[in-house]
mmCIF file of all heavy atoms in Angstrom:
data_model
loop_
_atom_site.group_PDB
_atom_site.id
_atom_site.type_symbol
_atom_site.label_atom_id
_atom_site.label_comp_id
_atom_site.label_asym_id
_atom_site.label_seq_id
_atom_site.Cartn_x
_atom_site.Cartn_y
_atom_site.Cartn_z
ATOM 1 N N HIS A 5 2.309 8.209 1.596
ATOM 2 C CA HIS A 5 3.045 9.492 1.333
ATOM 3 C C HIS A 5 3.059 10.247 2.566
ATOM 4 O O HIS A 5 2.035 10.657 3.084
ATOM 5 C CB HIS A 5 2.265 10.261 0.145
ATOM 6 C CG HIS A 5 1.958 9.556 -1.071
ATOM 7 N ND1 HIS A 5 3.033 9.149 -1.986
ATOM 8 C CD2 HIS A 5 0.794 8.808 -1.423
ATOM 9 C CE1 HIS A 5 2.377 8.385 -2.948
ATOM 10 N NE2 HIS A 5 1.156 8.164 -2.531
ATOM 11 N N LEU A 6 4.299 10.449 2.995
ATOM 12 C CA LEU A 6 4.508 11.274 4.175
ATOM 13 C C LEU A 6 4.601 12.724 3.835
ATOM 14 O O LEU A 6 5.246 13.105 2.857
ATOM 15 C CB LEU A 6 5.811 10.919 4.948
ATOM 16 C CG LEU A 6 5.987 9.358 5.177
ATOM 17 C CD1 LEU A 6 7.379 9.210 5.825
ATOM 18 C CD2 LEU A 6 4.904 9.001 6.101
ATOM 19 N N ILE A 7 3.735 13.540 4.540
ATOM 20 C CA ILE A 7 3.611 14.877 4.147
ATOM 21 C C ILE A 7 4.043 15.875 5.344
ATOM 22 O O ILE A 7 3.532 15.609 6.391
ATOM 23 C CB ILE A 7 2.217 15.255 3.742
ATOM 24 C CG1 ILE A 7 1.732 14.318 2.571
ATOM 25 C CG2 ILE A 7 2.022 16.706 3.518
ATOM 26 C CD1 ILE A 7 0.249 14.315 2.298
ATOM 27 N N GLN A 8 4.902 16.775 5.075
ATOM 28 C CA GLN A 8 5.301 17.753 6.109
ATOM 29 C C GLN A 8 4.949 19.171 5.541
ATOM 30 O O GLN A 8 5.624 19.719 4.836
ATOM 31 C CB GLN A 8 6.877 17.668 6.290
ATOM 32 C CG GLN A 8 7.361 16.413 6.794
ATOM 33 C CD GLN A 8 6.824 16.093 8.360
ATOM 34 O OE1 GLN A 8 6.294 17.011 8.816
ATOM 35 N NE2 GLN A 8 7.122 14.895 8.613
ATOM 36 N N PRO A 9 3.693 19.474 5.880
ATOM 37 C CA PRO A 9 3.079 20.802 5.357
ATOM 38 C C PRO A 9 3.976 21.923 5.736
ATOM 39 O O PRO A 9 4.591 22.008 6.879
ATOM 40 C CB PRO A 9 1.722 20.865 5.993
ATOM 41 C CG PRO A 9 1.405 19.519 6.456
ATOM 42 C CD PRO A 9 2.700 18.820 6.749
ATOM 43 N N GLU A 10 4.266 22.820 4.831
ATOM 44 C CA GLU A 10 5.120 24.070 5.177
ATOM 45 C C GLU A 10 4.345 24.879 6.134
ATOM 46 O O GLU A 10 3.149 24.937 6.230
ATOM 47 C CB GLU A 10 5.060 24.928 3.669
ATOM 48 C CG GLU A 10 5.943 26.109 3.810
ATOM 49 C CD GLU A 10 6.084 26.773 2.566
ATOM 50 O OE1 GLU A 10 6.159 26.148 1.488
ATOM 51 O OE2 GLU A 10 6.288 28.025 2.524
ATOM 52 N N GLY A 11 5.194 25.436 7.015
ATOM 53 C CA GLY A 11 4.613 26.193 8.133
ATOM 54 C C GLY A 11 4.458 25.309 9.494
ATOM 55 O O GLY A 11 4.014 25.907 10.508
ATOM 56 N N MET A 12 4.584 24.021 9.350
ATOM 57 C CA MET A 12 4.314 23.112 10.527
ATOM 58 C C MET A 12 5.567 22.999 11.190
ATOM 59 O O MET A 12 6.625 23.020 10.563
ATOM 60 C CB MET A 12 3.746 21.777 10.124
ATOM 61 C CG MET A 12 2.414 21.898 9.295
ATOM 62 S SD MET A 12 0.950 21.681 10.164
ATOM 63 C CE MET A 12 1.122 20.593 11.410
ATOM 64 N N PRO A 13 5.609 22.819 12.575
ATOM 65 C CA PRO A 13 6.903 22.602 13.282
ATOM 66 C C PRO A 13 7.554 21.307 12.902
ATOM 67 O O PRO A 13 6.926 20.400 12.339
ATOM 68 C CB PRO A 13 6.334 22.598 14.676
ATOM 69 C CG PRO A 13 4.889 22.181 14.764
ATOM 70 C CD PRO A 13 4.428 22.732 13.374
ATOM 71 N N PRO A 14 8.852 21.272 13.052
ATOM 72 C CA PRO A 14 9.620 20.092 12.825
ATOM 73 C C PRO A 14 9.163 18.905 13.698
ATOM 74 O O PRO A 14 8.593 19.228 14.781
ATOM 75 C CB PRO A 14 11.027 20.557 13.140
ATOM 76 C CG PRO A 14 10.983 21.746 13.958
ATOM 77 C CD PRO A 14 9.730 22.322 13.692
ATOM 78 N N THR A 15 9.312 17.681 13.223
ATOM 79 C CA THR A 15 8.907 16.496 14.007
ATOM 80 C C THR A 15 10.227 15.720 14.416
ATOM 81 O O THR A 15 11.252 15.827 13.903
ATOM 82 C CB THR A 15 8.048 15.740 13.157
ATOM 83 O OG1 THR A 15 8.752 15.248 12.001
ATOM 84 C CG2 THR A 15 6.806 16.514 12.735
ATOM 85 N N ASN A 16 9.923 14.820 15.335
ATOM 86 C CA ASN A 16 10.920 13.937 15.888
ATOM 87 C C ASN A 16 10.494 12.514 15.820
ATOM 88 O O ASN A 16 9.745 12.053 16.727
ATOM 89 C CB ASN A 16 11.373 14.329 17.311
ATOM 90 C CG ASN A 16 12.544 13.492 17.771
ATOM 91 O OD1 ASN A 16 13.232 12.847 16.970
ATOM 92 N ND2 ASN A 16 12.727 13.545 19.107
ATOM 93 N N GLY A 17 10.664 11.883 14.663
ATOM 94 C CA GLY A 17 10.191 10.573 14.469
ATOM 95 C C GLY A 17 8.808 10.311 14.177
ATOM 96 O O GLY A 17 8.310 9.131 14.164
ATOM 97 N N TYR A 18 8.084 11.324 13.654
ATOM 98 C CA TYR A 18 6.738 11.084 13.184
ATOM 99 C C TYR A 18 6.537 12.048 12.007
ATOM 100 O O TYR A 18 7.254 13.053 11.825
ATOM 101 C CB TYR A 18 5.614 11.132 14.222
ATOM 102 C CG TYR A 18 5.540 12.639 14.691
ATOM 103 C CD1 TYR A 18 4.434 13.384 14.287
ATOM 104 C CD2 TYR A 18 6.345 13.062 15.763
ATOM 105 C CE1 TYR A 18 4.297 14.691 14.833
ATOM 106 C CE2 TYR A 18 6.192 14.423 16.314
ATOM 107 C CZ TYR A 18 5.136 15.208 15.742
ATOM 108 O OH TYR A 18 5.008 16.450 16.154
ATOM 109 N N SER A 19 5.335 11.883 11.290
ATOM 110 C CA SER A 19 4.885 12.825 10.247
ATOM 111 C C SER A 19 3.655 13.456 10.717
ATOM 112 O O SER A 19 2.798 12.852 11.337
ATOM 113 C CB SER A 19 4.656 12.029 8.858
ATOM 114 O OG SER A 19 5.906 11.543 8.503
ATOM 115 N N HIS A 20 3.455 14.701 10.330
ATOM 116 C CA HIS A 20 2.170 15.358 10.674
ATOM 117 C C HIS A 20 1.039 14.779 9.837
ATOM 118 O O HIS A 20 -0.069 14.706 10.320
ATOM 119 C CB HIS A 20 2.257 16.859 10.275
ATOM 120 C CG HIS A 20 3.116 17.763 11.238
ATOM 121 N ND1 HIS A 20 2.692 17.984 12.570
ATOM 122 C CD2 HIS A 20 4.316 18.320 11.060
ATOM 123 C CE1 HIS A 20 3.646 18.709 13.153
ATOM 124 N NE2 HIS A 20 4.626 18.919 12.247
ATOM 125 N N VAL A 21 1.340 14.284 8.693
ATOM 126 C CA VAL A 21 0.274 13.767 7.799
ATOM 127 C C VAL A 21 0.710 12.535 7.016
ATOM 128 O O VAL A 21 2.004 12.660 6.561
ATOM 129 C CB VAL A 21 -0.181 14.840 6.807
ATOM 130 C CG1 VAL A 21 -1.280 14.284 5.904
ATOM 131 C CG2 VAL A 21 -0.712 16.081 7.559
ATOM 132 N N VAL A 22 -0.045 11.555 6.898
ATOM 133 C CA VAL A 22 0.346 10.317 6.131
ATOM 134 C C VAL A 22 -0.893 10.215 5.241
ATOM 135 O O VAL A 22 -1.992 9.974 5.792
ATOM 136 C CB VAL A 22 0.694 9.162 6.859
ATOM 137 C CG1 VAL A 22 0.990 8.013 5.975
ATOM 138 C CG2 VAL A 22 1.851 9.377 7.819
ATOM 139 N N ALA A 23 -0.885 10.162 3.884
ATOM 140 C CA ALA A 23 -1.820 9.934 3.047
ATOM 141 C C ALA A 23 -1.608 8.542 2.416
ATOM 142 O O ALA A 23 -0.538 8.131 2.017
ATOM 143 C CB ALA A 23 -1.966 10.898 1.877
ATOM 144 N N PHE A 24 -2.755 7.675 2.316
ATOM 145 C CA PHE A 24 -2.634 6.367 1.845
ATOM 146 C C PHE A 24 -3.451 6.218 0.678
ATOM 147 O O PHE A 24 -4.511 6.868 0.474
ATOM 148 C CB PHE A 24 -3.155 5.369 2.825
ATOM 149 C CG PHE A 24 -2.362 5.247 4.069
ATOM 150 C CD1 PHE A 24 -2.567 6.122 5.146
ATOM 151 C CD2 PHE A 24 -1.301 4.383 4.075
ATOM 152 C CE1 PHE A 24 -1.715 6.033 6.320
ATOM 153 C CE2 PHE A 24 -0.444 4.246 5.270
ATOM 154 C CZ PHE A 24 -0.742 5.107 6.354
ATOM 155 N N THR A 25 -3.074 5.307 -0.226
ATOM 156 C CA THR A 25 -3.898 4.876 -1.362
ATOM 157 C C THR A 25 -4.148 3.465 -1.186
ATOM 158 O O THR A 25 -3.280 2.721 -0.692
ATOM 159 C CB THR A 25 -3.393 5.155 -2.727
ATOM 160 O OG1 THR A 25 -2.032 4.572 -2.737
ATOM 161 C CG2 THR A 25 -3.155 6.642 -2.948
ATOM 162 N N GLY A 26 -5.309 2.851 -1.585
ATOM 163 C CA GLY A 26 -5.536 1.441 -1.421
ATOM 164 C C GLY A 26 -6.524 1.075 -0.267
ATOM 165 O O GLY A 26 -7.272 2.004 0.126
ATOM 166 N N THR A 27 -6.353 -0.037 0.374
ATOM 167 C CA THR A 27 -7.270 -0.422 1.369
ATOM 168 C C THR A 27 -6.734 -0.076 2.728
ATOM 169 O O THR A 27 -5.558 -0.358 3.019
ATOM 170 C CB THR A 27 -7.491 -2.021 1.222
ATOM 171 O OG1 THR A 27 -8.036 -2.274 -0.111
ATOM 172 C CG2 THR A 27 -8.555 -2.527 2.224
ATOM 173 N N VAL A 28 -7.657 0.393 3.567
ATOM 174 C CA VAL A 28 -7.281 0.491 4.974
ATOM 175 C C VAL A 28 -7.966 -0.555 5.797
ATOM 176 O O VAL A 28 -9.168 -0.840 5.564
ATOM 177 C CB VAL A 28 -7.931 1.900 5.442
ATOM 178 C CG1 VAL A 28 -7.629 1.991 6.960
ATOM 179 C CG2 VAL A 28 -7.183 3.069 4.766
#
Side-chain angles (χ1 to χ4, degrees):
H5 307 282
L6 305 178
I7 303 168
Q8 297 296 347
E10 188 174 326
M12 302 260 333
T15 62
N16 183 12
Y18 70 94
S19 298
H20 285 292
V21 180
V22 179
F24 293 91
T25 57
T27 303
V28 174

